[in-house]
Amino acid sequence: MKLLVPVRHYLLILVVLILAGCPSPDDNQPGNLPSATPDSETKSEHTPPPEDQFEMSLQRDPVDDEITRYMLSNDKGMVVELINLGATVTRVLLPSGNGESVNVTLNFEDPTTYKMNPPYFGSICGRYSNRIAQGKFSLNNQEYTLATNNDPNHLHGGNEGFNKKIWIAEEINEADQVGVQFTYVSADGEEGYPGTLTVKVKYLLNNDNELKLEYTATTDKETVLNLTNHCYWNLGGAGSGSILNHELNLNCSQYIPVDKTGIPTGELADVAETPMDFTSFHTLGKRIEQVEGGYDHCYVRDNYDSEGVQLIATLRDPESGRSMEILTTEPGVQLYTGNFLDGSENVGGYAKHGGICLECQHFPDSPNQPEFPSTTLAPQEVYQQTTIHRFKFAK
Ligand code: GLA
């Protein structure tokens, strides 16, 4: 057979074709961050590039007509994933020594599952996070009745709390931080609460491995407000087992005793010489059996009337060497050890104590407890909260 071109030309074409199929050196460049695809696995499937090759970035990924996912990345290789449904944190990926990333917050694989989200994974809770006794409170001599969705009390804003709402998202791209500002306008009378309330929550990631939450809110009528984020943490990796081996330190000398339904008795009790004491590091599992039902209590930040953010909690996992500090302007933090996680599909398959919540907030049932710091917001006021989660990757 007569060839149209000399054999050496065919060989050259073959070599070019083979090279085109090979990964280019650019495949290892910044931008190839740990997989953004949600999965139930603890580890992402990609090996991230060496640390000095990460860069700060913000990516957007539509999930469906309503839900959009945002991926914040910093130059240390930390990634925070958010969705506008519930202004929710869906994954927090920390690089680990072996070149893989580990997701340290409990999540659902499918973002549309967050429409239900019974455990409130990663979401913003409101208008009033935590409980209001019997779903009733009074303002200006008028009694308001809310849903008693946590029989016999009101919990986390009612049947359709802020965790179930689609928030408006605006991207933030600054030299030293990336983020998303989520806005939700809650109508006057929504879930029984008075006043049209405009809430804004900014999630910001910087290169010091800090995830900062800045909340603001205004109302056109006097109302009550208590916002928090409901992430469940497992520093060993979501799905890696129980958090009972994690060590916790709280800058809280007092906690709020509650009745059998989680409503404060009104007293602030000293933690000293009780299983509630985390004023020095204690393993969560050590005394949990002495606390009926497990930890689900609001702690009182020492000097809670001080200005600005203050360290309230440090959580560390001796096995992985990872730790997280929480700084906040809030007077309290709800310590909840995932006591209601039962391994079912409703809770993403996570077993009891598979994650720990440290929800910075005002005290439960404040609208009915005149001695507690006020949670009333008047039209001329601006609600403000700042809470920072500072991560350390390993020893
Ligand atoms: C809060 C409450 C808990 C529980 C969880 C959600 O932390 O204090 O009792 O309701 O939310 O499951």
Side-chain angles (χ1 to χ4, degrees):
M1 186 177 78
K2 189 170 185 317
L3 296 172
L4 294 175
V5 287
V7 171
R8 65 175 186 281
H9 285 193
Y10 278 107
L11 286 175
L12 193 66
I13 290 164
L14 199 64
V15 168
V16 168
L17 285 175
I18 289 169
L19 282 178
C22 287
S24 83
D26 282 345
D27 286 352
N28 283 330
Q29 291 306 304
N32 293 332
L33 292 161
S35 166
T37 324
D39 58 41
S40 55
E41 312 231 326
T42 299
K43 306 212 159 95
S44 71
E45 59 269 29
H46 294 304
T47 302
E51 209 173 87
D52 59 354
Q53 292 190 16
F54 291 110
E55 62 181 20
M56 188 166 261
S57 71
L58 170 56
Q59 292 170 47
R60 183 187 338 113
D61 170 26
V63 173
D64 61 20
D65 289 351
E66 288 189 320
I67 307 173
T68 303
R69 181 168 44 224
Y70 297 86
M71 286 147 284
L72 321 179
S73 311
N74 74 4
D75 73 4
K76 305 294 186 305
M78 178 174 162
V79 177
V80 175
E81 287 181 7
L82 308 165
I83 53 170
N84 58 332
L85 171 55
T88 302
V89 177
T90 51
R91 291 208 296 179
V92 174
L93 292 158
L94 305 183
S96 75
N98 63 9
E100 289 183 322
S101 283
V102 177
N103 171 31
V104 294
T105 194
L106 307 197
N107 68 342
F108 290 110
E109 196 172 330
D110 175 359
T112 61
T113 313
Y114 286 87
K115 286 178 183 158
M116 295 312 295
N117 192 5
Y120 303 87
F121 284 162
S123 298
I124 296 297
C125 296
R127 203 177 281 203
Y128 201 97
S129 63
N130 216 318
R131 294 173 177 80
I132 294 180
Q134 312 284 328
K136 289 202 186 298
F137 70 97
S138 294
L139 266 184
N140 301 319
N141 300 320
Q142 191 175 336
E143 189 176 73
Y144 293 92
T145 302
L146 311 169
T148 46
N149 56 319
N150 189 243
D151 194 29
N153 302 316
H154 179 79
L155 178 72
H156 295 332
N159 295 326
E160 285 276 334
F162 292 175
N163 61 299
K164 290 192 179 167
K165 305 294 182 187
I166 295 286
W167 296 55
I168 296 163
E170 288 161 81
E171 297 175 18
I172 301 166
N173 257 302
E174 291 168 4
D176 54 355
Q177 56 186 1
V178 281
V180 179
Q181 172 173 275
F182 292 109
T183 303
Y184 176 66
V185 181
S186 170
D188 186 8
E190 185 181 280
E191 283 292 337
Y193 292 99
T196 310
L197 183 82
T198 304
V199 187
K200 292 180 188 289
V201 181
K202 265 187 204 177
Y203 286 94
L204 298 160
L205 176 67
N206 65 20
N207 287 326
D208 296 324
N209 302 320
E210 290 175 347
L211 173 63
K212 190 194 232 186
L213 279 72
E214 287 179 358
Y215 305 67
T216 56
T218 52
T219 182
D220 64 358
K221 237 190 243 172
E222 208 162 269
T223 190
V224 294
L225 180 62
N226 187 24
L227 298 172
T228 197
N229 171 276
H230 210 296
C231 273
Y232 289 66
W233 304 103
N234 186 324
L235 297 175
S240 68
S242 147
I243 45 77
L244 294 183
N245 60 344
H246 282 33
E247 296 165 345
L248 179 67
N249 179 203
L250 297 175
N251 283 342
C252 304
S253 311
Q254 292 182 308
Y255 78 104
I256 300 176
V258 287
D259 68 14
K260 286 220 172 320
T261 72
I263 296 298
T265 57
E267 157 208 19
L268 305 184
D270 290 344
V271 296
E273 289 163 38
T274 77
M276 306 304 287
D277 188 358
F278 288 95
T279 54
S280 57
F281 277 102
H282 285 282
T283 303
L284 284 162
K286 197 161 175 215
R287 301 159 302 170
I288 197 168
E289 295 301 332
Q290 299 169 46
V291 181
E292 210 190 323
Y295 295 101
D296 193 358
H297 296 84
C298 192
Y299 279 74
V300 179
R301 173 163 67 91
D302 290 343
N303 311 313
Y304 66 75
D305 46 6
S306 63
E307 292 275 307
V309 293
Q310 205 184 40
L311 182 69
I312 193 166
T314 308
L315 181 69
R316 63 188 191 202
D317 170 29
E319 208 175 309
S320 66
R322 292 184 201 103
S323 67
M324 176 182 68
E325 290 174 341
I326 303 180
L327 300 91
T328 191
T329 51
E330 290 302 280
V333 62
Q334 181 83 7
L335 164 62
Y336 168 59
T337 42
N339 315 325
F340 303 124
L341 299 176
D342 59 3
S344 70
E345 209 181 308
N346 269 345
V347 299
Y350 295 104
K352 189 172 181 180
H353 308 314
I356 169 182
C357 300
L358 290 159
E359 310 156 40
C360 295
Q361 57 187 254
H362 270 62
F363 305 160
D365 198 33
S366 299
N368 297 309
Q369 303 274 352
E371 302 297 316
F372 288 177
S374 171
T375 49
T376 304
L377 184 71
Q380 68 278 11
E381 295 172 333
V382 179
Y383 168 96
Q384 280 178 311
Q385 177 193 154
T386 301
T387 295
I388 299 169
H389 297 258
R390 186 184 290 152
F391 293 89
K392 295 211 174 78
F393 297 163
K395 281 176 209 156

